[in-house]
């Protein structure tokens, strides 16, 4: 069983969004085009409460992109984004969602961030995605979406570390930082993640 994980293609991560990934919208046609190649399609959705501690606005005298210690974990402070029930948290209207069989929401606990679609950043709680993949007897996981060097990277890392043959669809992701992405790519390759182009699937 082959599953496609579509990571966080939400308005706030697209051009004009509060935490926009440059040219993030350009991957959407590719993500739509490859969906018919998979047995199971799951989307993740950042779904933050307004008081989320990863937001710089919730820390007096702190600025966006400052790094703090949050409950023992290093935390980048972000602009407010993907707040529950706001337009920014909605999936892009350009994304074909008809084939998505499950939506996994993450980042709901205000005390900890959750980049991966599988675990929170401290790996204290899982989102339910791991159980779903196992229940469906998924063997191969393909990841795409936003952003390449954060949520897609952490999801791929958790997938391969939990025994899935993991593929990273390079032309269906966009990074915040190319330099950071290259570091992420090296690490994922060392763990056994396979980097592919969408036309090779």
């Amino acid at each position: 069983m082959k599953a496609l994980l579509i990571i966080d293609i939400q308005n706030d991560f697209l051009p004009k969004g509060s935490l926009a990934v440059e040219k993030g919208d350009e991957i959407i046609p590719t993500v739509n085009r490859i969906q018919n190649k998979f047995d199971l399609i799951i989307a993740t959705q950042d779904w933050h409460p307004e008081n989320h501690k990863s937001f710089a606005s919730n820390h007096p005298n702190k600025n966006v992109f400052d790094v703090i210690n949050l409950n023992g974990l290093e935390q980048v402070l972000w602009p407010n984004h993907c707040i529950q029930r706001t337009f920014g948290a909605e999936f892009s209207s350009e994304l074909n969602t008809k084939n998505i069989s499950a939506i996994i929401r993450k980042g709901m606990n205000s005390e900890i961030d959750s980049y991966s679609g599988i675990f929170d950043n401290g790996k204290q709680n899982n989102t339910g995605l791991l159980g779903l993949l196992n229940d469906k007897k998924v063997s191969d996981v393909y990841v795409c979406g936003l952003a390449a060097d954060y949520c897609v990277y952490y999801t791929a890392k958790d997938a391969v570390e939990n025994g899935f043959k993991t593929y990273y669809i390079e032309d269906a992701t966009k990074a915040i930082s190319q330099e950071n992405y290259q570091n992420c790519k090296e690490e994922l390759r060392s763990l056994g993640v396979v980097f592919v182009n969408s036309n090779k699937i």
Side-chain angles (χ1 to χ4, degrees):
M1 173 83 78
K2 196 162 67 171
L4 177 67
L5 305 184
I6 301 173
I7 309 300
D8 299 2
I9 300 186
Q10 296 167 258
N11 291 321
D12 271 342
F13 296 130
L14 297 170
K16 299 182 182 171
S18 65
L19 188 49
V21 179
E22 188 177 356
K23 299 181 179 178
D25 55 329
E26 292 182 0
I27 67 170
I28 297 174
T30 302
V31 174
N32 290 341
R33 178 172 52 79
I34 62 178
Q35 290 185 26
N36 63 0
K37 298 178 184 290
F38 295 92
D39 307 304
L40 178 68
I41 298 173
I42 299 167
T44 68
Q45 186 176 29
D46 248 11
W47 195 248
H48 295 308
E50 280 187 73
N51 66 339
H52 202 276
K53 298 281 180 64
S54 72
F55 295 165
S57 64
N58 290 320
H59 299 271
N61 307 315
K62 293 292 183 185
N63 299 309
V64 169
F65 305 126
D66 282 354
V67 178
I68 65 165
N69 182 300
L70 179 61
N71 300 317
L73 294 172
E74 188 177 278
Q75 176 67 53
V76 176
L77 295 181
W78 303 110
N80 291 24
H81 65 278
C82 299
I83 293 171
Q84 296 169 6
R85 292 175 289 279
T86 64
F87 174 76
E90 291 174 11
F91 293 120
S92 167
S93 60
E94 295 175 24
L95 179 68
N96 177 12
T97 57
K98 294 195 292 288
N99 303 312
I100 293 170
S101 60
I103 295 168
I104 300 291
R105 286 177 168 168
K106 60 191 179 71
M108 292 175 283
N109 180 345
S110 64
E111 296 296 321
I112 190 165
D113 217 347
S114 192
Y115 297 149
S116 168
I118 296 176
F119 295 109
D120 66 39
N121 288 3
K123 297 204 170 171
Q124 300 301 307
N125 294 286
N126 73 68
T127 61
L129 177 54
L130 195 57
L132 178 58
L133 294 172
N134 286 327
D135 285 349
K136 296 288 188 181
K137 296 183 169 52
V138 168
S139 56
D140 294 17
V141 166
Y142 288 71
V143 294
C144 65
L146 301 170
D149 48 338
Y150 279 92
C151 297
V152 184
Y153 156 69
Y154 281 100
T155 303
K157 186 177 179 185
D158 282 347
V160 75
E161 287 180 344
N162 279 275
F164 298 98
K165 183 70 177 169
T166 305
Y167 298 85
Y168 194 110
I169 310 170
E170 279 211 272
D171 59 328
T173 68
K174 288 282 184 189
I176 293 174
S177 157
Q178 278 304 315
E179 183 182 357
N180 192 32
Y181 174 55
Q182 290 307 316
N183 294 333
C184 293
K185 194 170 168 180
E186 283 179 30
E187 183 186 358
L188 292 178
R189 277 207 168 115
S190 74
L191 293 170
V193 174
V194 178
F195 284 74
V196 296
N197 194 284
S198 62
N199 60 18
K200 300 292 187 198
I201 298 169

